[in-house]
Amino acid sequence: VDGRVVVIGGGFGGATAAKYIKRANPNVAVTLVEPNATFYTCPFSNLYLGGIREFEEIGHGYDELRNVYGVEVVHTLAEDIDPVAHRVQLANGTTLEYDKLVMSPGIDMRWNAIEGYDEAAAELAPHAWKAGAQTQILKRQLEAMPNGGLFVMVAPPNPYRCPPGPYERASMVAHYFKENKPDSKILILDPKDAFSKQGLFTDGWNQLYPGMIEWVGLSNDGRVVRVDAARREVETEFGTRHQASVLNVIPAQKAGWIADRAGVTDASGWVPVQARTFESQQVPDIYVIGDATVAAPMPKSGFCANSQAKVAAAAIVSALDGRSAPNPYFTNTCYSLIGPEYGVSVAAIYNLNTEGNIQAVAGAGGLSPSTGDASLRRAEAMNAHRWYDAICQDAWG
Ligand code: FAD
């Protein structure tokens, strides 16, 4: 054995890291700790809400990691970390020792950042910002809603998981309404004054769902300060109340709680990392990837988590072999579906600048053109499906 690696979290970052460490050196013993036997992806969970993907189509298991790559997969929670002794305490009572630890725990909600929005409230007014049971609650509520009802979404403040995600969700809910409940309306209350791909979304909404979606930003009293989940009512900063038929509250976020236990978070609630390796700036031998990290200008996306996982895997395999880490670069594309045949995207390549910080490579990315015609939007929608299949294949097989 050339070293022992424990990976916490079997999502986009963790599953990819486990696989790529084994691909680079099969003699490294890799244990993946993930409570769920099936991982449901947030990517395409909006398509499930829109009625264009089945729930089971966004679920992925760990057979390939186990059977093809020889990763030991343990379905339990990591409960505590001793960074000095290099040990992980699991909820099933066992302790794992590591030479290198990878953490990709994703996000947790900041409960009560909006008054009245806590874990119990999320059962009534789901966030659906972790895919699985939450997504299904939201879907059932949309299905039970009468034609002519109002879907209210409370959008999150920066930084949060998937910058275009709320607006893709509004689009997919609009698609569902157009097909099934055409008199219904959508209100997005936003604590920001601008959002990702805003011009492209607004154009798409005007074309596909004229008059159905209203977006209210910060300057127009878009910030919600109180939620009454039982009544599905929200109150804004300046006292306006909105009553919803279905209420989707996406609160402020922070790194998954296990990152706190490891001592890798800072005052922001997120994890500062060394850009070259994604090793924690605060604790040696712990590599943190994905949404939990501070990696701006990279967004918190599944594609970024996957890209960072490969960089961390290469750095870990190199370090275990006494070599220095290769010079990294990263990729990201975020596709959003506005309609089933109407896709838009934003893409970027990143490398390190002379100070060693992550920067977007000039001229190497960009947005879908605002002047794109129907055939381009259709091609991007097809590419979104291909992207999903490819990245899930890459992470879970
Ligand atoms: P996750 O994928 O969430 O994985 C974290 C894993 O860690 C989970 O499986 C969890 O069970 C596990 N875990 C947590 N704590 C512990 C613990 N203590 N012990 C063991 N395991 C633990 N990204 C894109 O690139 N493209 C998209 O189109 C896209 N669409 C999205 C749409 C929506 C609606 C949302 C909400 C997000 C979307 N994203 C998209 C973002 C994407 O889902 C995240 O960026 C991605 O999941 C981050 O990967 P991660 O590994 O950091 O976290």
Side-chain angles (χ1 to χ4, degrees):
V1 176
D2 290 344
R4 294 157 307 175
V5 176
V6 174
V7 180
I8 297 179
F12 279 89
T16 307
K19 180 191 278 191
Y20 276 77
I21 290 167
K22 277 293 198 184
R23 277 176 68 150
N25 184 352
N27 294 326
V28 176
V30 178
T31 306
L32 175 69
V33 183
E34 161 63 49
N36 303 304
T38 303
F39 179 83
Y40 291 95
T41 61
C42 284
F44 278 25
S45 65
N46 289 330
L47 279 63
Y48 163 66
L49 296 175
I52 57 183
R53 276 254 167 168
E54 296 296 324
F55 189 64
E56 287 315 317
E57 289 178 294
I58 59 168
H60 304 274
Y62 298 93
D63 286 350
E64 189 198 65
L65 283 177
R66 215 181 252 124
N67 302 334
V68 179
Y69 291 94
V71 174
E72 189 179 341
V73 182
V74 186
H75 289 304
T76 188
L77 268 180
E79 275 191 335
D80 216 344
I81 287 146
D82 181 339
V84 178
H86 284 60
R87 282 201 198 107
V88 181
Q89 180 66 50
L90 305 186
N92 68 6
T94 44
T95 303
L96 300 174
E97 300 198 341
Y98 65 83
D99 299 310
K100 303 285 185 186
L101 176 64
V102 179
M103 304 181 76
S104 194
I107 54 155
D108 272 332
M109 307 302 149
R110 287 187 182 272
W111 301 119
N112 294 306
I114 301 174
E115 189 186 322
Y117 196 69
D118 57 15
E119 225 165 334
E123 297 295 311
L124 303 169
H127 52 76
W129 221 241
K130 294 184 184 187
Q134 276 280 307
T135 322
Q136 289 177 302
I137 296 175
L138 186 54
K139 174 83 167 162
R140 277 197 298 274
Q141 291 185 349
L142 289 167
E143 284 170 354
M145 190 190 107
N147 184 18
L150 177 67
F151 173 71
V152 175
M153 173 193 287
V154 178
N158 291 322
Y160 63 95
R161 158 175 286 183
C162 197
Y167 315 98
E168 183 193 58
R169 175 170 294 172
S171 310
M172 287 291 98
V173 170
H175 171 70
Y176 170 74
F177 285 169
K178 187 176 172 179
E179 303 260 296
N180 299 283
K181 294 167 185 175
D183 301 329
S184 307
K185 298 267 189 258
I186 297 173
L187 173 65
I188 307 170
L189 298 168
D190 209 320
K192 309 181 287 299
D193 262 331
F195 61 85
S196 171
K197 297 184 260 192
Q198 185 163 358
L200 291 167
F201 274 111
T202 307
D203 284 351
W205 292 345
N206 289 338
Q207 269 184 54
L208 300 181
Y209 317 111
M212 188 184 274
I213 302 176
E214 185 187 0
W215 176 77
V216 178
L218 176 66
S219 310
N220 291 314
D221 197 21
R223 196 166 82 86
V224 166
V225 295
R226 236 180 313 283
V227 169
D228 184 336
R231 296 172 48 115
R232 294 189 301 275
E233 194 178 85
V234 298
E235 188 179 332
T236 63
E237 198 169 4
F238 296 106
T240 313
R241 290 185 183 192
H242 301 274
Q243 167 83 50
S245 316
V246 174
L247 176 58
N248 173 209
V249 180
I250 308 166
Q253 296 151 33
K254 59 183 178 178
W257 58 271
I258 193 70
D260 283 332
R261 296 290 177 85
V264 292
T265 50
D266 68 11
S268 72
W270 304 100
V271 179
V273 291
Q274 303 175 41
R276 194 182 172 81
T277 56
F278 275 68
E279 187 173 3
S280 159
Q281 287 183 7
Q282 297 174 185
V283 184
D285 296 326
I286 302 185
Y287 295 69
V288 188
I289 52 180
D291 289 358
T293 62
V294 181
M298 295 184 81
K300 297 186 187 304
S301 78
F303 201 149
C304 285
N306 171 272
S307 197
Q308 293 160 4
K310 292 170 183 174
V311 167
I316 287 169
V317 170
S318 302
L320 290 173
D321 197 29
R323 290 177 284 123
S324 59
N327 192 30
Y329 70 93
F330 309 87
T331 9
N332 181 56
T333 305
C334 282
Y335 289 99
S336 300
L337 285 192
I338 299 179
E341 306 232 302
Y342 193 119
V344 294
S345 66
V346 55
I349 308 278
Y350 305 89
N351 64 5
L352 303 188
N353 63 19
T354 46
E355 287 84 52
N357 297 317
I358 299 172
Q359 65 176 3
V361 175
L367 282 171
S368 308
S370 60
T371 51
D373 61 9
S375 72
L376 179 76
R377 303 295 186 229
R378 202 160 34 240
E380 289 225 77
M382 273 171 62
N383 288 344
H385 287 275
R386 291 175 179 142
W387 168 82
Y388 182 84
D389 292 346
I391 199 159
C392 291
Q393 159 64 42
D394 196 29
W396 297 280

